[in-house]
Amino acid sequence: MRPVLDLDKTNSPTTWNLVVGSYIEPYDAFRALGDGVSLVRLTVGGSMSLQDQLHRPNPSYLHGARGGIARVTLETNDARAAIATLAIRQEKFAPLQVMPINGRIPCHIDLHPAMPWLATACYGSGHVLARGLDDAGLLLPNAFAGPA
């Protein structure tokens, strides 16, 4: 669960949006079933309310970013393994991109703090991937990929 930048200026400074991922299908011995990616509003008093949800396969690692964009690994051991880019606009998700990756079971994701680069590591295949980001924050198709 990672806080994401909320650009809605009408929100008070005592509320935050969180993006939460939960598995939607069994994963090896792990049998919990969730709802995918959820946008949750959290108040300073501890109350939470669901704002929106997207049904995506096993969104396990999430990264909130500047500009109201969240990036999510879709942790699968098949061709659905990908990184999804979601905008958060007016308390709703707006899917921007789903970029398939060469590895299997993507399990970590991070952004370079100063440069337009995203990296992910894949638990299943051992790949480490790095992709550039365009001016809109979308992943570029060319990537460096190599075994860990």
Side-chain angles (χ1 to χ4, degrees):
M1 175 169 41
R2 298 276 307 243
V4 296
L5 181 62
D6 188 351
L7 297 180
D8 181 356
K9 301 298 184 200
T10 63
N11 290 336
S12 76
T14 59
T15 62
W16 302 268
N17 281 338
L18 301 176
V19 178
V20 180
S22 61
Y23 289 92
I24 64 165
E25 55 196 34
Y27 176 68
D28 289 334
F30 185 67
R31 299 291 173 215
L33 297 178
D35 297 308
V37 184
S38 299
L39 180 62
V40 178
R41 167 64 46 103
L42 176 67
T43 69
V44 71
S47 66
M48 292 184 1
S49 59
L50 179 64
Q51 303 300 307
D52 198 15
Q53 285 185 317
L54 282 176
H55 193 75
R56 296 291 186 266
N58 302 342
S60 58
Y61 288 80
L62 303 101
H63 195 288
R66 297 171 301 277
I69 293 178
R71 290 171 185 87
V72 180
T73 61
L74 304 181
E75 189 176 314
T76 67
N77 195 19
D78 55 33
R80 298 173 300 155
I83 298 170
T85 303
L86 311 171
I88 300 166
R89 298 186 181 127
Q90 299 176 355
E91 308 299 331
K92 299 286 181 192
F93 287 123
L96 299 177
Q97 179 185 51
V98 175
M99 179 71 70
I101 61 172
N102 296 334
R104 294 291 185 252
I105 312 177
C107 58
H108 296 285
I109 190 168
D110 207 353
L111 292 173
H112 189 282
M115 303 296 292
W117 284 94
L118 175 140
T120 188
C122 296
Y123 177 76
S125 62
H127 285 85
V128 175
L129 303 127
R131 291 197 184 222
L133 302 172
D134 67 14
D135 291 339
L138 299 178
L139 295 167
L140 296 170
N142 296 330
F144 166 78

